[in-house]
């Protein structure tokens, strides 16, 4: 396994997270740098994506590298039965870095075991989405001026939501207080609650997305109920409309509150929230470009201090 791979947010230390955030800030101020000259990056997306794939590809382009890959695995030889192992081994022959999204939990870890080329996990099933976490942390830091001592309310699909799982783990270093708002079917899985218990992280669980919860929050992290994760469509129909944020619900919220969402949204944030200055989800997606530029440089052992001198 290449030690520069990023499969889970727990692969990197607090110091590395803070370093990546510093570098994201640098790239926000200096997005165009031809430091990937001669490098080729593969984006292998076995699951649909808009933001993650396009922001990784934009990041490579802005850094002067080249991108190959696919956004639809049905056009590749995996549709003829080629295994993930063979696909990864083949693509590794061509590129310096692989960014991969896969519908199976553990697929990214498995990929690191069959190649020495660094792998960035762009989402594996309901498991982890560490590059999303870096842009989430960057967004939280930019809007709050700190990552420390914040009350973060996670709402919606906490069972299958890989973005909330990764963010929860990353926040272990910053003394958060979590509100988990979900119905029984989509509750935060026990292993993540045990993780909180082990790390001394405070959390409370709620079925009701109440005024009290909203008004205590520094960050509200909304999530989509993901139809693609349900095996029983009737179960999805039962829970898909349970949590919806409307502008009026923010009337007595804290001034510093910001609404985050990894996107795409369906109906969990009403469009009347979009013009509220507390809505931050589109800027959050923009921050993905800078965070991913920093992550790519880490994966390719590129020292930003040297870049800054050039
Ligand atoms: N947040 C996120 O992963 O979005 P995409 O599915 O569009 O990549």
């Amino acid at each position: 396994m290449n030690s520069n791979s990023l499969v889970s947010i727990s692969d990197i230390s607090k110091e590395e997270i803070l370093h990546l955030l510093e570098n994201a800030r640098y790239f926000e101020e200096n997005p165009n740098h031809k430091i990937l000259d001669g490098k080729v990056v593969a984006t292998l997306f076995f699951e649909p994506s808009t933001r993650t794939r396009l922001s990784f590809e934009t990041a490579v382009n802005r850094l002067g590298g080249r991108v190959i890959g696919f956004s639809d695995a049905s056009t590749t030889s995996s549709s003829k039965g080629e295994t993930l192992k063979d696909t990864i081994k083949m693509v590794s022959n061509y590129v310096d870095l692989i960014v991969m999204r896969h519908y199976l939990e553990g697929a990214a870890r498995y990929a690191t075991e069959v190649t020495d080329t660094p792998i960035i996990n762009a989402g594996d099933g309901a498991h982890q989405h560490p590059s999303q976490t870096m842009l989430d942390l960057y967004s939280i830091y930019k809007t709050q001026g700190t990552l420390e001592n914040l009350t973060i309310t996670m709402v919606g699909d906490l069972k299958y939501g890989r973005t909330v799982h990764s963010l929860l783990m990353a926040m272990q270093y910053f003394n958060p207080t979590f509100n988990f708002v979900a119905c029984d079917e989509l509750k935060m899985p026990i292993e993540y609650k045990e993780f909180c218990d082990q790390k001394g992280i405070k959390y409370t669980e709620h079925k009701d997305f109440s005024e009290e919860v909203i008004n205590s929050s520094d960050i509200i992290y909304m999530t989509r109920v993901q139809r693609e994760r349900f095996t029983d469509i009737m179960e999805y129909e039962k829970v898909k409309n349970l949590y919806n944020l409307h502008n009026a619900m923010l009337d007595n919220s804290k001034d510093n509150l910001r609404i985050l969402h990894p996107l795409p949204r369906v109906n969990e944030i009403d469009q009347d929230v979009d013009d509220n200055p507390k809505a931050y989800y589109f800027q959050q997606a923009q921050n993905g470009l800078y965070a991913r530029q920093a992550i790519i440089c880490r994966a390719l052992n590129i020292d930003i201090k040297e870049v800054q001198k050039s």
Side-chain angles (χ1 to χ4, degrees), residues 6 26 40 47 80 128 153 238 269 276 305-306 310:
L6 180 58
Y26 175 74
V40 182
E47 250 194 355
K80 303 175 197 162
Q128 289 269 318
T153 297
K238 211 164 77 181
I269 301 180
N276 190 314
K305 287 210 166 58
E306 289 302 313
S310 64

Side-chain angles (χ1 to χ4, degrees), residues 121-190:
N121 179 9
D124 61 330
H127 183 221
Q128 289 269 318
H129 195 348
S131 69
Q132 176 73 43
T133 302
M134 288 312 307
L135 77 91
D136 291 342
L137 292 174
Y138 187 50
S139 300
I140 294 170
Y141 184 76
K142 274 176 70 177
T143 59
Q144 305 297 319
T146 181
L147 292 172
E148 302 280 348
N149 306 318
L150 297 171
T151 297
I152 299 179
T153 297
M154 295 174 164
V155 185
D157 181 356
L158 308 189
K159 179 177 179 184
Y160 300 114
R162 58 194 174 199
T163 63
V164 290
H165 300 160
S166 291
L167 181 59
L168 178 153
M169 293 179 81
M171 288 304 298
Q172 67 175 296
Y173 305 116
F174 308 110
N175 191 37
T177 301
F178 287 117
N179 294 312
F180 299 143
V181 180
C183 57
D184 283 339
E185 291 84 347
L186 296 175
K187 275 167 72 166
M188 185 63 80
I190 185 74

